[in-house]
Amino acid sequence: MEKKNIDWANLGFGYIQTDYRFVSNYKNGAWDDGIITEDANVVISECAGVLQYAQTIFEGMKAYTTADGRIVTFRPDLNGERMEQSAARLEMPVFPKDKFVEAVIKTIKANEAYVPPYGSGATLYIRPYMFGSNPVIGVKPASEYQFRVFTTPVGPYFKGGVKPLTIRVCDFDRAAPNGTGHIKAGLNYAMSLHAIVDAHNQGYDENMYLDAATRTKVEETGGANFLFVTKDGKVVTPKSNSILPSITRRSLVQVAKEYLGLEAEEREVYLDEVKDFAECGLCGTAAVISPVGKIVDHGKEICLPSGMTEMGPVTKKLYDTLTGIQMGTIKAPEGWVVEVK
Ligand code: PLP
Ligand code: COI
């Protein structure tokens, strides 16, 4: 299969329309079989549930070309499972996770020409999503839905690749206790847009959200979980019911323990103790692990000892091991890497 003529090494994190997408419709209580189509446009009622009451959820995943030329994806069953949980919380029908994985694999295969080559620094980002499509005017769930999967080749999420980021402690809240922070709903991202535009205007790369109830504990950023390293080399990630259960973060905790022999714990992390950590990173599908060099808390600077020029040593080992597993140069735990082709 001939690859598309794309300058892979210089891709940013943006949308490039690829040739094929998967579409399945839910009507009268059942999903149809779904099709692969070239039509990238969605035509829905002006009163569709998604347009009026933001009934939409999504996932984010990647496909990789391995060192030996296979195309693979990473733990798609966990994305399928998380999408089932997101659907249940927003009163949407579940798109079963086995069908989800099948649809993702079909869409990657159809867009094989857009899967960036091994070593290019780019990957194929996969965006499964679902939305309420029929007219809804009283506040209630839609009765018809569309599930779609598209792909787009991407480079690094943060400009500058692995250069450490400067972030700020944010005065806006991302998620309420008992709210929707733990699911991947579009509404969580809509409410973060003002905060991220404001952060960028003030010269910061991202926001550190705190827990909304006490504003003393670290939650996550707009699109990634936190991972900290203590001065004695222990990995610590924040535990909270209102953050997204990142598949990257869960994988990194296992990598830390089983591949690197490190202690790793998921626990509440207080903002007060962040100054004592040696390293900090943002982890997620898009972010992979992006190192944080500085956290600014209302004028007070917390400078991580790992500095502003490169990743800290433990973050680097985690990064190299995870990407090695994804690209097929390091043996993966059973079931983590799923072959597409
Ligand atoms: N947190 C938020 C708010 C996200 O949007 C994402 C991205 O999916 C993550 C964390 C990371 O999750 P994952 O590692 O499953 O991509
Ligand atoms: C991802 O990492 O897949 C995300 O969804 C984060 C962001 C692009 C919303």
Side-chain angles (χ1 to χ4, degrees):
M1 155 77 56
E2 199 176 324
K3 293 285 176 190
K4 297 285 173 178
N5 183 19
I6 291 174
D7 182 8
W8 308 107
N10 290 307
L11 283 176
F13 195 88
Y15 173 72
I16 294 174
Q17 190 177 312
T18 58
D19 294 340
Y20 301 101
R21 64 275 307 122
F22 178 86
V23 183
S24 175
N25 288 297
Y26 180 90
K27 200 174 174 167
N28 302 323
W31 288 103
D32 65 17
D33 290 340
I35 51 159
I36 290 281
T37 168
E38 290 185 53
D39 189 356
N41 295 310
V42 176
V43 179
I44 46 176
S45 160
E46 61 186 356
C47 194
V50 59
L51 298 179
Q52 302 311 320
Y53 304 123
Q55 205 184 12
T56 179
I57 56 176
F58 67 99
E59 274 302 321
M61 319 163 61
K62 280 177 174 170
Y64 311 84
T65 304
T66 60
D68 60 359
R70 291 169 299 129
I71 295 175
V72 300
T73 186
F74 186 69
R75 310 191 78 178
D77 52 323
L78 296 190
N79 293 92
E81 230 165 76
R82 192 167 64 190
M83 194 149 185
E84 288 188 351
Q85 288 151 11
S86 298
R89 179 64 176 78
L90 288 199
E91 290 296 332
M92 300 167 89
V94 161
F95 193 84
K97 77 172 179 193
D98 295 347
K99 283 184 67 178
F100 172 99
V101 173
E102 254 175 55
V104 164
I105 289 178
K106 261 190 207 162
T107 316
I108 302 169
K109 262 191 194 148
N111 293 294
E112 188 191 341
Y114 290 93
V115 184
Y118 174 74
S120 65
T123 52
L124 188 73
Y125 187 72
I126 304 148
R127 177 50 64 88
Y129 61 116
M130 189 205 292
F131 52 87
S133 54
N134 68 302
V136 170
I137 194 69
V139 177
K140 63 176 184 187
S143 55
E144 294 176 16
Y145 293 84
Q146 192 164 95
F147 169 83
R148 300 177 72 100
V149 185
F150 71 75
T151 63
T152 179
V154 295
Y157 189 66
F158 293 103
K159 283 198 277 303
V162 291
K163 199 177 144 308
L165 306 169
T166 299
I167 66 172
R168 68 161 183 190
V169 175
C170 186
D171 288 332
F172 299 103
D173 293 320
R174 175 182 175 274
N178 308 311
T180 56
H182 60 300
I183 60 160
K184 213 159 162 60
L187 60 92
N188 292 334
Y189 299 82
M191 55 67 55
S192 77
L193 297 177
H194 176 62
I196 193 64
V197 169
D198 189 53
H200 287 162
N201 286 343
Q202 316 257 347
Y204 301 106
D205 297 300
E206 253 295 357
N207 287 302
M208 170 185 271
Y209 290 105
L210 302 179
D211 75 295
T214 71
R215 303 196 56 77
T216 58
K217 289 176 271 184
V218 176
E219 293 258 299
E220 61 175 327
T221 68
N225 280 182
F226 278 104
L227 184 147
F228 298 98
V229 181
T230 63
K231 288 192 174 130
D232 58 358
K234 190 194 281 182
V235 171
V236 176
T237 64
K239 187 183 172 90
S240 160
N241 292 333
S242 45
I243 65 175
L244 193 77
S246 158
I247 293 160
T248 314
R249 185 251 304 165
R250 286 181 270 162
S251 304
L252 286 169
V253 164
Q254 200 172 326
V255 163
K257 289 181 184 163
E258 293 173 13
Y259 285 68
L260 304 178
L262 300 172
E263 265 183 71
E265 63 175 358
E266 190 190 346
R267 62 163 171 84
E268 290 184 332
V269 173
Y270 286 85
L271 177 60
D272 276 353
E273 59 178 310
V274 169
K275 62 179 186 335
D276 301 324
F277 288 122
E279 300 176 38
C280 171
L282 308 183
C283 54
T285 299
V288 193
I289 314 181
S290 301
V292 174
K294 194 192 286 185
I295 302 166
V296 181
D297 178 13
H298 302 89
K300 197 172 72 206
E301 293 193 349
I302 302 169
C303 297
L304 278 301
S306 49
M308 291 305 291
T309 50
E310 54 192 303
M311 275 192 191
V314 175
T315 308
K316 175 92 169 76
K317 272 192 216 160
L318 286 165
Y319 179 93
D320 288 345
T321 311
L322 180 70
T323 53
I325 288 170
Q326 291 166 334
M327 310 281 176
T329 57
I330 295 175
K331 191 172 169 3
E334 186 68 31
W336 279 24
V337 170
V338 172
E339 200 155 320
V340 173
K341 203 167 167 185

